[in-house]
Structures are given as C-alpha cells and as structure tokens.
Amino acid sequence: MSIKNNISLYKLEIESKPCKLIAVSKTHSIEKILEAYQAGQRVFGENKAQDLVAKWASLPKDIEWHMIGHLQTNKIKYIAPFVSLIHSVDSKKLLEEVNKQGKKVKRKISCLLQVHITAEETKFGFSEEELIALLESNFIYTLEFITIQGLMGMASFTADANRIRNEFKYLKNLFDKLKERVKPTSEFKELSMGMSSDYKIAIEEGSTMVRIGTAIFGDRDYSDNTNS
Ligand SMILES: *Cc1c(COP(=O)(O)O)cnc(C)c1O
C-alpha cells in the first residue's frame, strides 16, 4: 500500500467518526510527508522539538504540527511560534514554561495533559490525583497563554486487547469526570488516544484524536535520524 492510499483509507475510516487523524511522521523524510500532504493530510505529529522545527520550516505552511513526545523545558521556545497542539504536557514546570514562551511570541498555545496509566511502562504523565488537584487549583487559571484542550494517554504495550480497552475506558472516564468537576471551559474537549495497533479500540471508547504512524508510513527509518 502506498502512503497516499493509506491516508485516503484512514481518513475515510477515522474522520467518518467524530475523530481526527494525526499522521505521526517522526523519523520519516520530507518526501514521504509530502506524499501524505498531497493525499490531503494536513495534521502531522512529531516527537522531537528539533525535528518539528526542521519539518515545519521545509514544508507547506498550512500544515498543523503537533508535538506528541516528551518535551524538555529548554526546547519549548523553538516550537512556540508555530506548534498547533502539544499532546504531551506532563508537569507543572512544563506548563509554566509553555505559558512563558507563549507570552513571548504572543500566542495562546493549546495543550493536552498527558495521563500516566498505572500499569504502563512510561514514567511520563500526571496521575489522576495530580490532575484533579491541578485543575482545581488557581495555578491553572494564571496560565493566560495556554488553552488546556483535554487529555492524552497511551495504553500499555501489550497484545491483550481487553487490557487496552480497559485502559482507554479508564481514560475516557477520567476525561468525563474532569470535564464535569473542574470549572469547565468549553475548550476541554479533546481526548487523544489510540495508535496504529489500537486505534479501533480507542475510537470505540471515545477517542477524538488518534496518532497513527506505522500504519501510514511503514516501519520507522532511523538511519538518517540522530536518535538520542
Ligand atoms: C510514535 C508515536 C505514535 C505512533 O505510533 P505507531 O504505532 O507508529 O502508530 C503515537 N503516539 C506517540 C506518543 C508516539 O510517540
């Protein structure tokens, strides 16, 4: 299957639901991204700030760039001028820095709060208790240059579909609970969950954004990538 065909098929399947396709182009070349662009894809996700900047600089300017990977505070300044959504905000310190950089470039930057699912391997993300405390604190309302649009989460890396479904259910539940509990802004509306292997389950469980890489672009190419 070509990238072009993949985009057509996934767009049709995913965007017929109230869900958005984020094409995860990390490690892939400008040429491959252009192929997806020519098939109509306008939203791309990268997991490293320097790659996001390089690709933003060399590709058409009507692309929406999403940051989906762990972000270091000292890298935010590079992406603040153009990034459309940061999926991976996982600390108060990062929120403060995004706000600071948003202020500098006079942009309100949209963010999702990354949730740490207890069973999952990654060490990144807020726990449920931390999220509730954060969203009920006054701190969050001092962040004038941030719009919190919702939550992001990753299911465990496992072949156990039941476990994956339960983790997505947990995330959706938490999303609904926070939406209700916190002084709700109408902007708290996105739930980013689901990747190539589990996007179908994620959509069934209420995802509004799926992040798909391998299924569109094929295996990742690390050969021309300085992978740290
Ligand atoms: C790489 C990555 C994806 C895409 O994964 P695939 O399995 O290739 O679809 C999604 N989300 C995050 C956070 C990623 O780092």
Side-chain angles (χ1 to χ4, degrees):
M1 272 295 217
S2 68
I3 290 172
K4 190 164 180 262
N5 283 338
N6 290 340
I7 290 291
S8 306
L9 288 173
Y10 281 104
K11 267 184 102 68
L12 192 66
E13 179 186 359
I14 290 160
E15 297 186 347
S16 67
K17 314 281 192 325
C19 190
K20 194 165 179 178
L21 170 62
I22 318 300
V24 177
S25 51
K26 64 188 188 199
T27 79
H28 295 294
S29 66
I30 298 291
E31 290 69 34
K32 283 185 170 180
I33 299 173
L34 264 180
E35 193 180 333
Y37 178 87
Q38 276 147 11
Q41 183 64 21
R42 291 294 180 273
V43 189
F44 293 89
E46 290 280 330
N47 68 338
K48 288 186 181 168
Q50 57 270 39
D51 294 344
L52 203 64
V53 172
K55 287 172 175 175
W56 165 74
S58 34
L59 282 155
K61 290 297 173 285
D62 61 340
I63 290 177
E64 239 185 65
W65 289 103
H66 289 201
M67 177 67 191
I68 62 166
H70 182 63
L71 190 53
Q72 289 166 296
T73 48
N74 62 348
K75 301 280 172 62
I76 298 166
K77 57 177 176 286
Y78 303 117
I79 65 170
F82 68 90
V83 70
S84 288
L85 180 63
I86 304 176
H87 290 234
S88 43
V89 174
D90 61 359
S91 70
K92 260 177 102 162
K93 201 174 119 206
L94 208 55
L95 280 169
E96 278 169 345
E97 188 62 21
V98 172
N99 189 60
K100 191 173 136 194
Q101 297 302 332
K103 186 173 184 172
K104 273 193 190 160
V105 295
K106 299 189 177 65
R107 283 186 82 217
K108 220 170 153 139
I109 299 177
S110 295
C111 295
L112 304 179
L113 301 171
Q114 184 169 352
V115 184
H116 174 81
I117 300 172
T118 321
E120 146 200 47
E121 293 83 354
T122 168
K123 56 185 182 295
F124 301 122
F126 292 99
S127 69
E128 175 164 352
E129 294 71 31
E130 287 169 336
L131 278 176
I132 290 170
L134 179 71
L135 290 172
E136 286 182 345
S137 70
N138 288 325
F139 164 75
I140 205 89
Y141 301 99
T142 66
L143 304 170
E144 287 177 74
F145 289 88
I146 290 186
T147 308
I148 304 222
Q149 290 207 337
L151 302 180
M152 182 272 239
M154 274 185 273
S156 301
F157 183 70
T158 171
D160 181 351
N162 268 329
R163 182 167 154 196
I164 291 171
R165 187 177 295 279
N166 283 332
E167 291 177 352
F168 286 150
K169 275 190 201 300
Y170 166 81
L171 269 173
K172 174 64 160 83
N173 213 348
L174 179 59
F175 174 73
D176 290 340
K177 192 156 85 180
L178 291 174
K179 209 171 155 172
E180 238 173 64
R181 265 185 84 146
V182 302
K183 294 172 221 167
T185 64
S186 56
E187 289 145 328
F188 195 89
K189 59 186 189 325
E190 303 291 355
L191 180 56
S192 168
M193 61 182 194
M195 311 180 17
S196 292
S197 57
D198 56 19
Y199 78 94
K200 280 181 197 284
I201 305 176
I203 293 174
E204 284 166 11
E205 298 304 331
S207 171
T208 68
M209 286 184 174
V210 291
R211 310 175 308 269
I212 299 190
T214 313
I216 292 171
F217 293 103
D219 287 339
R220 278 185 271 284
D221 177 11
Y222 290 103
S223 60
D224 65 350
N225 192 273
T226 44
N227 212 25
S228 50

